[in-house]
Amino acid sequence: MYATQALTHLVPLAADELDKNKVTPGVLGFLVFAALAVGVWFLMKSMNRHMGKVDFEEAPEPSAAERKAPGEASGKAPGKASAGAPTE
């Protein structure tokens, strides 16, 4: 006799005792939830370690003299085109 056949004989017995209003996830649900929580914890530790290795220096803020209104002279040498200007 196989295990699946033995379980099929027990299903009708369990159906009589099953209260459909009190069904809970049980131990398997807790174990799955706990495994996901541990996995997220390890991912967060790894992310913090990798973010600690990042070496980022922000560019300094441009001064008021460097910030000019659009259309004003840029102060660059003649003949030099800016990044967005078309060249001839």
Side-chain angles (χ1 to χ4, degrees):
M1 181 182 232
Y2 294 110
T4 54
Q5 289 175 340
L7 290 176
T8 56
H9 292 292
L10 296 177
V11 170
L13 297 174
D16 295 335
E17 298 174 11
L18 181 65
D19 184 8
K20 293 185 179 183
N21 295 325
K22 294 183 180 179
V23 176
T24 62
V27 176
L28 179 62
F30 172 75
L31 292 176
V32 169
F33 184 77
L36 287 172
V38 169
V40 168
W41 183 72
F42 277 115
L43 284 172
M44 292 296 290
K45 276 188 70 160
S46 175
M47 182 191 70
N48 283 332
R49 187 175 31 226
H50 282 85
M51 291 299 285
K53 292 180 183 178
V54 173
D55 185 25
F56 176 73
E57 287 187 26
E58 190 171 339
E61 291 282 329
S63 66
E66 292 175 356
R67 283 185 271 150
K68 296 189 178 196
E72 290 185 21
S74 63
K76 292 187 178 185
K80 302 254 182 179
S82 64
T87 57
E88 294 181 27

